[in-house]
Amino acid sequence: MSRLTGWWSRRGSAAKVELYTRWSFHFFMLIEIGAIGLVPISDSGYNPLATPLDLTLTLLVCAHAVLNAVLSSRALDWALDRRDRPVRLAAAVIVLTAAATPAVIALRATGVLRDPAVAAAVVTGMVTFAMGSLVLCVRRPRRMLYVVPAAALATGVAVVAMGLHPGEGLGYAVAIIMGGGGLAAACGFSGWLMKIVWELELSRDLKARLAVAEERLRFGRDLHDVMGRNLSVIALKSELAVQLARRERPEAVDQMIEVQRIAQESQREVRDVVRGYREADLRVELEGARGVLGAAGIDCAIDPVTMELPAGVQSVLGWVVRETTTNVLRHGDARKCAISLREKGGSVLLTVRNDGVREGAVMGHGSGLAGLRERLAAVDGTLEAGPDEGGTFQVTALVPVPAPGRGEES
């Protein structure tokens, strides 16, 4: 079953909305053919070869439906700024509709097409479905609203001009306003919604990239502030020491001792700057995981941390939470994630479990988890990762908690 649904689950939210919208418009083609195109054939006594006119009308509606489907697909690409506006296709739909509907009305007025229901179905159906695809080629909703009454008025005038009763023309106009108005509104809203979803997806990616760039700038600024002055002093004092050494002055040794002191101080300051990148606070990482997974549409359940843990244990468990959260976002298509922390025989056990694991995905052997195993090994901890029986993926980290005062005694 997962292989059959994988083509859907591997897509992002915006791609799913786009796929659903596109196939909805393709389905409109089948609706137009089935609900409108088959009306003339069904009226001809189930023998289309005996009524060439009915067969011609059916083929006309089928060609109109296919052209509408192509126009809808191209218009969606234009709405997403992937291609130019399909002006020629829109013109072709307008010309075909404008030429076919008066011809059908003329056949109805002259008595060649005897059944008025066939003429009404073909005319109102072609105009209605044409408006559904044409509104996708317009950006402003106000202009979309003009399409429906204009088409209804033109059709009603054409019916009266052909000599038919004004009441029949009014019926055509009302049918087009009701059916075409609803379809045009649905198509216009679907195209707008698809564009908005893609814009939200792109803005979320842009926000993440901006956050990374901002953090890099902050780190570069802090590192420059710390190292800029010290490196300048080291360069000046080392140059002075060289000059003094060439003159065989004993002050050269004092200058090099000062260079050594400044270099050691710089090392300490650099370690302070990068400490935020090398250490992780468990509670902060848990809240961060809740926020990040929630923003991605993943329901994250986290048990509250009630135990007091040493700083070293919190740091390494914070790294486990950070890395596993990244893996949940990067691999599979998770909808639920649970993080629990409990005491187990003098140790603390952290468990991260998520669903949405892709079939055949190789997990648990990446460099991220390998780095976690190295961090845990430094505090005598262990890490296990892999799928469990329930079809979920589970990561467990077991870290011994030092007894109080053990660190001071050792």
Side-chain angles (χ1 to χ4, degrees):
M1 180 63 66
S2 60
R3 292 181 179 179
L4 296 176
T5 59
W7 62 273
W8 172 263
S9 61
R10 284 192 294 267
R11 297 175 180 270
S13 299
K16 290 178 180 178
V17 173
E18 180 182 353
L19 183 64
Y20 170 78
T21 304
R22 287 185 180 276
W23 279 102
S24 297
F25 284 109
H26 294 331
F27 188 66
F28 286 161
M29 176 185 67
L30 300 180
I31 294 178
E32 183 176 359
I33 294 175
I36 308 300
L38 297 182
V39 171
I41 294 180
S42 62
D43 183 67
S44 63
Y46 302 96
N47 187 11
L49 295 179
T51 54
L53 176 60
D54 292 333
L55 180 59
T56 302
L57 292 178
T58 297
L59 294 177
L60 177 63
V61 173
C62 292
H64 188 267
V66 173
L67 189 58
N68 274 332
V70 176
L71 176 60
S72 300
S73 180
R74 299 293 178 87
L76 291 178
D77 289 336
W78 169 71
L80 296 176
D81 298 325
R82 296 175 182 173
R83 63 169 67 236
D84 296 333
R85 189 195 301 233
V87 178
R88 295 182 179 178
L89 277 173
V93 170
I94 294 174
V95 170
L96 179 60
T97 306
T101 53
V104 175
I105 296 174
L107 293 175
R108 165 74 182 92
T110 57
V112 177
L113 190 59
R114 298 179 180 179
D115 192 349
V118 175
V122 173
V123 171
T124 57
M126 292 182 65
V127 174
T128 297
F129 282 99
M131 287 187 295
S133 59
L134 288 174
V135 295
L136 296 175
C137 302
V138 182
R139 290 194 186 276
R140 297 181 180 180
R142 181 179 300 178
R143 295 181 178 178
M144 294 181 184
L145 296 177
Y146 295 157
V147 176
V148 179
L153 179 61
T155 305
V157 170
V159 171
V160 176
M162 294 291 180
L164 296 176
H165 193 275
E168 190 170 350
L170 180 61
Y172 276 79
V174 172
I176 291 175
I177 289 178
M178 294 181 61
L183 186 60
C187 293
F189 178 77
S190 298
W192 172 82
L193 179 63
M194 185 186 66
K195 183 178 180 179
I196 292 299
V197 171
W198 269 115
E199 288 180 352
L200 291 175
E201 184 83 6
L202 294 177
S203 64
R204 186 175 64 177
D205 295 341
L206 180 60
K207 183 179 179 180
R209 289 195 297 267
L210 289 176
V212 173
E214 183 179 356
E215 186 64 15
R216 288 176 178 174
L217 290 175
R218 186 197 70 81
F219 180 75
R221 181 178 63 251
D222 294 345
L223 191 61
H224 176 270
D225 294 342
V226 169
M227 296 298 297
R229 180 184 62 85
N230 291 347
L231 290 176
S232 299
V233 174
I234 289 174
L236 292 174
K237 286 187 172 294
S238 60
E239 183 179 357
L240 178 59
V242 170
Q243 297 296 332
L244 293 175
R246 289 176 178 176
R247 299 175 185 178
E248 297 182 356
R249 298 283 296 274
E251 292 86 350
V253 177
D254 297 333
Q255 295 297 327
M256 292 306 300
I257 293 175
E258 183 68 12
V259 168
Q260 183 182 20
R261 184 191 67 78
I262 296 174
Q264 292 174 350
E265 182 181 354
S266 299
Q267 289 179 337
R268 179 184 59 80
E269 292 178 346
V270 170
R271 283 194 293 268
D272 292 339
V273 171
V274 302
R275 182 170 299 169
Y277 296 87
R278 297 178 60 85
E279 296 182 0
D281 183 81
L282 179 58
R283 286 182 172 84
V284 173
E285 294 300 330
L286 288 174
E287 290 301 321
R290 188 196 306 273
V292 170
L293 294 177
I298 301 174
D299 183 16
C300 183
I302 301 178
D303 294 342
V305 180
T306 58
M307 62 186 73
E308 293 294 332
L309 299 174
V313 176
Q314 286 202 43
S315 178
V316 70
L317 291 179
W319 274 105
V320 174
V321 173
R322 181 183 299 184
E323 178 63 27
T324 51
T325 301
T326 303
N327 287 341
V328 171
L329 293 173
R330 185 179 301 171
H331 305 294
D333 190 16
R335 289 293 175 266
K336 294 182 180 180
C337 180
I339 303 177
S340 62
L341 191 71
R342 61 185 178 89
E343 186 178 359
K344 181 179 180 182
S347 301
V348 59
L349 179 65
L350 174 67
T351 303
V352 181
R353 180 183 294 106
N354 66 276
D355 61 356
V357 182
R358 299 172 186 169
E359 184 176 350
V362 179
M363 304 178 67
H365 303 286
S367 58
L369 294 180
L372 289 181
R373 289 189 174 92
E374 294 177 358
R375 290 180 182 274
L376 288 167
V379 293
D380 297 328
T382 58
L383 180 75
E384 296 182 359
D388 59 11
E389 297 179 355
T392 60
F393 191 83
Q394 177 174 297
V395 177
T396 56
L398 185 66
V399 181
V401 179
R406 181 182 301 176
E408 290 78 8
E409 294 176 358
S410 58

